[in-house]
Amino acid sequence: MLQKIKEELLCSICLNVMKDARMCHNQHNFCRECIEEHLRVNAQRCPQCQDDLTLATLHPARVINNVISKLKINCDYASRGCPEFINVEYLERHVQNCGFAPVLCSNERCGLEINKRDKIKHETELCEYRKIASHDFREIGEMFQRSFEDNLSRKIEEKFIEVKESVKPLTAQYTKIQKELKYVQQNLSTVTKEMMESRKQIKN
Ligand SMILES: [Zn+2]
Ligand SMILES: [Zn+2]
Ligand SMILES: [Zn+2]
Ligand SMILES: [Zn+2]
């Protein structure tokens, strides 16, 4: 983000956009915190022009502060789809929380780079390496049960047809035996009749 901002708005000590800018009498600007620490720790001189400088001779940089407060720039992740146009003072905070920031899918073996705001949906619904949720297990169980039952009833039907086929010759044989039996019975009754008749004749 900082490459997009004019150098005059960057503090030469911390290299960030200046916060509450202060300047030397030659209009060299720094963050208030940065220059005050420099004056305390390093030397009572401007880090750029080396002129004498103390807390007392430091001026507020009103023009710079005014420009910065009105400066709005694109989010770092504009190219990833973030539509935000943010005041530079809030940019850093926004970028840290921006939903378009790249993150990696945490599912084992995936490692796909996705937008932070899509992470949960990707990891739980879209990712091909997502862990199977319990409701998926139930579904699989039901599918298995259904296909097991389908298979079973088809197998029973097949077995039934097979048995029926194998019984067919037996049935034919049975019918034939029955016919033969009937014939034998008829013959028998004829023989018995004849026997009775001949007995009668013998009596008479
Ligand atoms: Zn600074
Ligand atoms: Zn200076
Ligand atoms: Zn953003
Ligand atoms: Zn994934």
Side-chain angles (χ1 to χ4, degrees):
M1 61 173 172
L2 297 180
Q3 292 90 321
K4 292 185 253 174
I5 297 167
K6 285 188 188 142
E7 223 170 283
E8 303 95 82
L9 303 180
L10 302 182
C11 165
S12 62
I13 297 173
C14 70
L15 305 176
N16 288 316
V17 175
M18 281 181 274
K19 282 181 192 140
D20 192 10
R22 291 288 186 272
M23 60 183 183
C24 80
H25 63 104
N26 287 326
Q27 299 195 352
H28 296 124
N29 303 286
F30 314 93
C31 306
R32 185 172 65 84
E33 267 184 43
C34 292
I35 191 63
E36 285 183 0
E37 194 186 344
H38 165 82
L39 296 178
R40 256 198 320 271
V41 175
N42 298 325
Q44 305 246 303
R45 264 184 248 125
C46 169
Q48 282 184 267
C49 62
Q50 308 299 328
D51 280 4
D52 286 343
L53 186 65
T54 64
L55 288 177
T57 55
L58 208 53
H59 303 285
R62 288 207 185 84
V63 177
I64 291 278
N65 283 334
N66 204 21
V67 170
I68 289 173
S69 75
K70 286 175 184 154
L71 188 69
K72 288 190 171 186
I73 62 168
N74 283 329
C75 169
D76 284 14
Y77 303 122
S79 64
R80 300 179 61 86
C82 181
E84 292 291 322
F85 206 55
I86 315 129
N87 188 298
V88 285
E89 291 170 293
Y90 307 118
L91 185 63
E92 203 180 329
R93 200 171 56 199
H94 166 82
V95 165
Q96 276 169 6
N97 299 307
C98 179
F100 293 87
V103 290
L104 296 180
C105 169
S106 69
N107 287 338
E108 225 176 303
R109 296 186 295 139
C110 179
L112 192 72
E113 190 184 86
I114 42 187
N115 288 343
K116 198 197 257 177
R117 64 178 197 163
D118 302 328
K119 192 171 193 276
I120 291 174
K121 191 176 167 68
H122 169 83
E123 286 178 350
T124 59
E125 291 177 39
L126 305 173
C127 179
E128 57 180 307
Y129 297 105
R130 70 187 184 278
K131 290 163 195 79
I132 295 175
S134 58
H135 67 85
D136 287 337
F137 273 124
R138 202 170 56 231
E139 215 168 276
I140 288 167
E142 281 165 6
M143 258 166 56
F144 184 75
Q145 180 76 21
R146 267 201 305 279
S147 80
F148 176 75
E149 281 164 5
D150 279 358
N151 228 352
L152 193 66
S153 65
R154 205 178 58 234
K155 275 202 175 132
I156 288 173
E157 209 173 324
E158 278 168 10
K159 196 74 196 168
F160 182 70
I161 291 168
E162 194 187 304
V163 168
K164 222 164 81 177
E165 288 299 311
S166 71
V167 156
K168 245 184 199 166
L170 285 182
T171 316
Q173 217 174 341
Y174 177 69
T175 316
K176 199 175 146 204
I177 289 172
Q178 257 185 334
K179 265 186 201 156
E180 281 172 2
L181 199 63
K182 216 172 185 178
Y183 177 73
V184 169
Q185 272 176 336
Q186 272 169 359
N187 278 353
L188 195 64
S189 73
T190 314
V191 169
T192 315
K193 232 191 227 165
E194 280 171 2
M195 268 175 65
M196 299 269 274
E197 300 252 308
S198 60
R199 239 193 238 167
K200 256 189 217 165
Q201 278 174 5
I202 293 170
K203 263 189 185 171
N204 291 340

